[in-house]
Amino acid sequence: MDVDLHDGKDRIGPMFRDRHVLITGGTGFMGKALIEKLMRCTEIGKIYLLIRIKKGKSPKQRLEDIFANPIFGKLIELRGLDSLLAQCVVIGGDVTELGLGISAEDRKLVTDNVSIIYHCAATIRFDELLKKAVMLNTRGTKLMLDLAKECKKLDMFGYVSTSYCHLNEKLLLEKPYPPPADPHKVIKAIEWLEDDVVDGITSKILGSCPNTYAYTKALGEALVIEAMKDIPAVVFRPSIVVPTWREPISGWTDNINGPVGLLIGAGKGVIRSMYCDASGYGDYLPVDFGVSAICVCTWNYVGQKDYARNIYHLVSSAEIRVSWEGVAELGKSITHNKVPLNGVAWYPGGTIKKYRWQHNLAAFFYHWIPAVLIDCLLYVLGYKPILCRVHRRIAKGFEVLEYYANNQWDFDNAAILYLRTKMNAEEKVKFKIDAAGVVINEYFENCIWGARRFILNESDDTLPAAKRHMKVMWFVNIVTTILFYGAILYYLGLWIYNRVFASVF
């Protein structure tokens, strides 16, 4: 029997008591946050982690790397590293390999004990080669579903999809949508075709879909929905996952995807122009909200046996909307006055351009010309040129981003709104899935602090020097701007004089 909502007892954490959970993608951004949340806020039993060998590191070494991340700092203080390691079971494997690359012994261990699976593994690169994206995002999901069907105690298969995989729909509802193609046929074709052939026909296969990420995630989601007739399964559709709001530390991130990369690039004075609809907005999901929502949805599905709700939008724009222009202005204000980054190349500035030609013109003058000049100087001084390479990567990233920045989608999240009504006061604090108390300025400031600490490895004691350097760059920017426009006016005046007045006098 359910505990009364008003008695204040947490029902979500205890629901996980002694359950064994398998997580793929545990080395990724959301994967780390999910592991930390389950260990800190639930009574979970064992966590099985499917980890592949990478860069010569064994799966066990990569598990140690996971716990070396700052997000686990508080948890290690509370419980000790040995306790966390003992709670985890490493399953050596790879979702891109047939049979997941799992040994027969490990497969039996999983199928005999695991009751909840969270499939988070995916390539999130929008420009990933189609064959690799299909093998990981689509065929990998199919292979995970095959494993799930063998699990004797399975209560839920949770698939982490994305709210941006059905881009032909401008209002997304929490319901299934038809995939862009038959996922089974796509998998067979991609397995059979050579890499160069797939590369040559990628645009034709994608059709109107803008990138391989959205295409292959939509196919993977279709496989999960198809499997719902055989196994208990849930689809989570998070939007753009961004740094933590507060848990377990404010502003934590481990990548430069989404707006964090833009904030760093702009904060360093490298990005000074962007082509997008300034009044448009993206949908951002702090990762701690995302993993809390996954826990709450799992409790509702497994603990409350609410099988009717099995697709959830993990989104925020219905409550909080920050325009692209708002993101840019907040970023400039914070890096100018509160949290400057070290070694900025130029005083952070620039604007969002409404038209592509405006952006291309601005990029030529403010991105490429300075990049060429600085790289030439670096070469003369004996250093390796870098800025042109950085701007090529930025330009490539803009090609992907422009589609999303110049289109608009809205998301219905009725299922999440319903869950909020089912949670008591303690649960709403422990597993926060609403925007109450979120102050946008404060959040973006924490994001820049997080970028400083966790991505750029800039310690807090360098802040005074960064502020001094920012003042110098402000002065340099002012002087350069005056000289630049002064030169234009001078030569324009000289031209007018020579053409109009010289003949008179």
Side-chain angles (χ1 to χ4, degrees):
M1 181 180 293
D2 283 351
V3 179
D4 185 88
L5 284 176
H6 303 289
D7 73 357
K9 292 182 181 178
D10 173 28
R11 298 160 294 164
I12 298 169
M15 190 280 298
F16 287 88
R17 183 177 296 128
D18 298 328
R19 290 183 180 276
H20 290 210
V21 174
L22 170 65
I23 299 176
T24 70
T27 59
F29 181 40
M30 183 168 262
K32 290 190 191 82
L34 179 59
I35 294 168
E36 195 277 338
K37 185 69 176 182
L38 290 171
M39 286 185 157
R40 179 167 51 86
C41 296
T42 75
E43 299 175 24
I44 197 168
K46 292 285 186 181
I47 297 180
Y48 295 71
L49 296 169
L50 182 65
I51 304 177
R52 64 187 174 97
I53 296 173
K54 185 177 181 182
K55 296 180 179 178
K57 288 190 175 183
S58 69
K60 287 189 177 180
Q61 289 174 317
R62 295 190 69 200
L63 175 63
E64 293 171 358
D65 288 344
I66 290 174
F67 288 117
N69 192 282
I71 193 177
F72 292 96
K74 291 185 179 180
L75 195 57
I76 290 173
E77 287 180 14
L78 290 172
R79 292 183 45 188
L81 178 59
D82 290 341
S83 172
L84 303 185
L85 291 171
Q87 194 174 0
C88 295
V89 178
V90 175
I91 304 295
D94 187 336
V95 297
T96 64
E97 295 183 14
L98 290 175
L100 300 169
I102 300 175
S103 68
E105 181 182 3
D106 281 346
R107 196 173 189 96
K108 186 176 187 306
L109 187 65
V110 169
T111 56
D112 285 350
N113 294 285
V114 166
S115 61
I116 296 174
I117 296 175
Y118 294 118
H119 180 38
C120 306
T123 173
I124 59 173
R125 284 185 55 184
F126 286 178
D127 60 346
E128 187 65 84
L129 295 176
L130 179 60
K131 185 157 189 172
K132 185 175 180 180
V134 168
M135 291 300 188
L136 181 48
N137 294 351
T138 308
R139 192 180 77 165
T141 300
K142 182 179 184 297
L143 297 175
M144 283 301 302
L145 289 167
D146 292 341
L147 177 67
K149 291 172 184 177
E150 297 176 26
C151 291
K152 300 169 184 175
K153 301 178 180 178
L154 187 69
D155 288 319
M156 192 194 84
F157 178 94
Y159 174 65
V160 179
S161 181
T162 171
S163 58
Y164 287 99
C165 69
H166 302 289
L167 300 173
N168 57 313
E169 302 286 339
K170 293 303 181 182
L171 173 62
L172 274 293
L173 305 176
E174 292 170 309
K175 69 174 188 177
Y177 288 95
D182 184 328
H184 300 284
K185 290 181 179 178
V186 172
I187 291 170
K188 287 181 180 179
I190 295 299
E191 286 176 331
W192 179 70
L193 293 170
E194 296 293 332
D195 293 15
D196 57 341
V197 176
V198 176
D199 294 344
I201 60 174
T202 291
S203 60
K204 187 172 183 179
I205 292 173
L206 294 183
S208 61
C209 197
N211 55 68
T212 59
Y213 173 70
Y215 182 81
T216 55
K217 289 296 283 185
L219 296 179
E221 183 180 293
L223 290 170
V224 177
I225 291 169
E226 177 185 87
M228 286 178 177
K229 65 180 184 294
D230 300 315
I231 60 172
V234 169
V235 172
F236 304 111
R237 289 179 182 155
S239 56
I240 304 168
V241 184
V242 292
T244 55
W245 175 56
R246 283 187 180 170
E247 284 195 312
I249 44 180
S250 297
W252 172 80
T253 185
D254 73 347
N255 63 68
I256 59 171
N257 298 326
V260 174
L262 292 175
L263 289 173
I264 291 176
K268 288 285 188 179
V270 175
I271 297 176
R272 306 188 65 79
S273 175
M274 179 179 169
Y275 163 58
C276 74
D277 177 5
S279 62
Y281 54 88
D283 193 295
Y284 307 118
L285 178 73
V287 68
D288 48 338
F289 285 29
V291 296
S292 288
I294 288 174
C295 292
V296 175
C297 295
T298 303
W299 162 75
N300 186 59
Y301 189 87
V302 177
Q304 302 298 291
K305 303 188 185 305
D306 184 357
Y307 304 129
R309 292 177 177 83
N310 54 14
I311 298 177
Y312 295 91
H313 280 163
L314 313 185
V315 295
S316 67
S317 58
E319 297 172 89
I320 296 178
R321 294 183 180 180
V322 185
S323 67
W324 291 106
E325 185 175 36
V327 172
E329 292 305 314
L330 276 172
K332 284 192 286 188
S333 174
I334 294 166
T335 53
H336 287 170
N337 306 308
K338 294 184 177 181
V339 193
L341 304 179
N342 289 349
V344 298
W346 203 259
Y347 188 69
T351 58
I352 289 174
K353 306 300 188 294
K354 184 177 181 181
Y355 301 105
R356 187 185 298 276
W357 69 266
Q358 291 177 317
H359 167 70
N360 290 340
L361 188 63
F364 177 75
F365 282 106
Y366 297 121
H367 290 176
W368 291 108
I369 289 180
V372 170
L373 293 175
I374 291 172
D375 274 358
C376 288
L377 180 61
L378 289 173
Y379 180 77
V380 169
L381 295 175
Y383 296 100
K384 186 177 180 180
I386 188 174
L387 212 53
C388 284
R389 180 164 56 87
V390 167
H391 274 296
R392 280 194 292 271
R393 292 182 63 184
I394 289 172
K396 191 174 182 180
F398 277 163
E399 287 178 13
V400 174
L401 180 63
E402 283 174 6
Y403 177 84
Y404 294 91
N406 289 286
N407 287 281
Q408 193 63 64
W409 296 269
D410 291 299
F411 309 96
D412 171 74
N413 63 336
I416 292 293
L417 296 177
Y418 167 78
L419 290 187
R420 292 178 190 174
T421 68
K422 304 295 289 183
M423 299 168 68
N424 62 41
E426 181 179 338
E427 292 162 348
K428 287 180 179 179
V429 172
K430 197 172 181 180
F431 299 91
K432 185 170 177 58
I433 58 171
D434 62 71
V438 176
V439 180
I440 292 300
N441 290 30
E442 177 187 289
Y443 174 69
F444 272 87
E445 185 174 334
N446 287 336
C447 285
I448 295 174
W449 271 116
R452 234 181 165 270
R453 293 165 176 160
F454 307 121
I455 301 297
L456 302 172
N457 296 315
E458 298 177 359
S459 61
D460 294 357
D461 59 9
T462 64
L463 188 63
K467 287 183 175 181
R468 290 193 296 272
H469 183 64
M470 186 64 76
K471 289 179 180 178
V472 171
M473 295 313 296
W474 175 84
F475 179 76
V476 170
N477 182 61
I478 291 294
V479 171
T480 304
T481 302
I482 291 172
L483 291 175
F484 177 75
Y485 286 108
I488 290 176
L489 290 173
Y490 172 78
Y491 285 107
L492 180 62
L494 190 63
W495 181 85
I496 293 172
Y497 175 80
N498 289 332
R499 289 299 181 100
V500 177
F501 298 105
S503 59
V504 177
F505 299 101

